[in-house]
Amino acid sequence: MKLVKTLMAVGLGAAIAAVSVAQAADKITIGFSQIGAESEWRTANTNDVKAAAEAHNIDLKFSDAQQKQENQIKAIRTFIAQKVDLIGFVPIVATGWDNILREAKRAKIPVLIMDRDLTVSDDSLYVAKIGTDSYTEGKKVFAWLDNYIQTNNIKPRNGGDKINIVILEGTVGSSAATGRAHGFDDALKASPNKDKYNILASQTGDFTRQKGQEVMESFLKSNRDDIDVLFAHNDDMALGAIQAIEAAGLKPSKDIVIVSVDGVKGIFQAMVDGKANATVECNPLQGDLFFTTAEKILKGEKVPKSVFVEEGVYQADEAAKVFPTRKY
Ligand code: GZL
């Protein structure tokens, strides 16, 4: 009896193994190159990608580039060698992708972009982009700031005639940084109040809390009593800057108005604590749309070249109410 049971077990095991191989063979395999883990936003984006891959029953080969473009290029080359069904990636910077995308095209592997944008000589090198509209985010930042300054009749702290703004920029060369900068600048230049503002300083903090604190410390060192506004390209740099502002004996959100981008939990807490004024949402929850689009591409269906995810604007007086509903 024992032998029969053993044979049945072996037979059953072999049958299960065969079925699982077949299932595995049916599974879509996607190689995904992520930038790294530089911010709360990025972590939320990664978690969402992995959860969505699970939900879509995708065999996900995930690579973390540790903030280096060359690591992304290496990962994409590996995905090509592994003959994945589709390649996805977040371009850490906008340029330098033509050659590796030509290799993917020669291997007949479709490429789908997530989050950030890229600039290539030939748009056929990628099928589509699922992303965030950094330019509009920048415009929303200025629109909120201009309204806040005028409505609250905020005056320059140094008694001068211009509201002095310092800017913590994102990663140099990234579409998120260039888009937000251009959107903010264009909205400022188009404003009837444009002559009431002055950009006192602008420097990259590379989207990290640590560098945001360091650069804000340097801004305060040279212009402590002239700075009226901080525009940080992401919440993490704003949170680092808040620490520098407090260390300099100033009140964040009161002495220096603070507006940033992303909408992560940390900035909602800062707004609830009265240390930040507003955040323009940049939605990291792009995984489901990404894999749904990937499935359509692999079925040969046409997909839009570029799709933006929904994004809002949140300010301190609503933070306590909205905070519990935040998904990232
Ligand atoms: C924006 C995204 C940016 C976030 C940062 O779409 O690429 O990168 O704003 C993140 O927090 O580091």
Side-chain angles (χ1 to χ4, degrees), residues 38-39 41-42 115-116 132 176 180 207 233-234 262 282:
E38 74 281 3
S39 63
W41 190 98
R42 185 63 54 205
D115 179 24
R116 293 186 185 173
T132 54
R180 288 167 192 171
F207 283 134
H233 283 187
N234 82 331
D262 277 351
C282 174

Side-chain angles (χ1 to χ4, degrees), residues 13 19 47-48 55 69 91 100 106 116 122 126 130 135 160 167 170 176-177 187 197 217 226 244 268 304 311 324 328:
V19 167
N47 293 341
D48 184 66
Q69 181 177 27
I100 190 64
R106 277 197 296 274
R116 293 186 185 173
D122 167 6
Y126 65 92
I130 307 290
Y135 179 77
I167 301 174
Y197 301 104
E217 280 163 359
D226 301 315
F268 272 87
E311 300 175 330
Y328 67 91

Side-chain angles (χ1 to χ4, degrees), residues 42-57:
R42 185 63 54 205
T43 303
N45 179 240
T46 291
N47 293 341
D48 184 66
V49 164
K50 290 180 174 174
E54 189 85 24
H56 283 255
N57 196 30

Side-chain angles (χ1 to χ4, degrees), residues 16-17 28 35-36 63 66 71 104 112 117 141 145-146 149 153 155 171 179 217 219-220 276 283 290 294 311 315-316:
I16 289 168
I28 291 172
I35 287 179
S63 158
Q66 311 278 321
N71 289 345
L112 180 54
D117 202 348
V141 167
L145 178 66
D146 197 20
I149 297 291
N153 194 25
K155 295 296 176 212
T171 301
E217 280 163 359
F219 287 164
L220 289 161
N283 184 352
F290 179 88
E311 300 175 330
Q315 59 185 22

Side-chain angles (χ1 to χ4, degrees), residues 135-327:
Y135 179 77
T136 301
E137 290 158 0
K139 289 179 75 172
K140 286 178 182 177
V141 167
F142 182 78
W144 178 87
L145 178 66
D146 197 20
N147 177 62
Y148 183 82
I149 297 291
Q150 303 314 319
T151 307
N152 293 281
N153 194 25
I154 308 271
K155 295 296 176 212
R157 264 191 319 128
N158 64 8
D161 59 356
K162 295 214 185 241
I163 291 287
N164 284 318
I165 301 168
V166 293
I167 301 174
L168 289 170
E169 301 167 12
T171 301
V172 175
S174 69
S175 64
T178 49
R180 288 167 192 171
H182 292 162
F184 185 86
D185 287 350
D186 288 353
L188 191 159
K189 287 186 186 115
S191 165
N193 302 312
K194 67 176 183 291
D195 295 333
K196 296 179 181 172
Y197 301 104
N198 170 54
I199 308 297
L200 192 62
S202 185
Q203 190 180 327
T204 184
D206 207 16
F207 283 134
T208 69
R209 189 181 287 218
Q210 177 63 36
K211 289 214 185 114
Q213 180 174 354
E214 288 165 10
V215 175
M216 191 67 202
E217 280 163 359
S218 69
F219 287 164
L220 289 161
K221 207 157 173 225
S222 29
N223 297 94
R224 180 186 184 279
D225 298 321
D226 301 315
I227 300 171
D228 300 301
V229 173
L230 164 65
F231 163 29
H233 283 187
N234 82 331
D235 295 339
D236 283 66
M237 292 190 291
L239 292 167
I242 286 168
Q243 289 178 267
I245 291 167
E246 290 181 312
L250 294 169
K251 293 189 194 68
S253 92
K254 310 230 178 11
D255 295 323
I256 297 178
V257 175
I258 298 172
V259 53
S260 53
V261 185
D262 277 351
V264 297
K265 287 193 167 76
I267 206 70
F268 272 87
Q269 187 59 59
M271 289 194 283
V272 168
D273 297 342
K275 296 183 179 180
N277 299 87
T279 183
V280 169
E281 185 180 40
C282 174
N283 184 352
L285 309 179
Q286 307 170 26
D288 183 53
L289 181 56
F290 179 88
F291 290 112
T292 301
T293 305
E295 287 157 347
K296 286 180 179 171
I297 291 168
L298 292 172
K299 281 183 201 143
E301 293 174 23
K302 273 201 76 49
V303 297
K305 191 71 178 175
S306 174
V307 177
F308 288 136
V309 289
E310 287 296 310
E311 300 175 330
V313 182
Y314 299 95
Q315 59 185 22
D317 61 7
E318 62 186 326
K321 178 163 63 61
V322 171
F323 196 2
T325 69
R326 298 297 296 165
K327 295 195 184 73

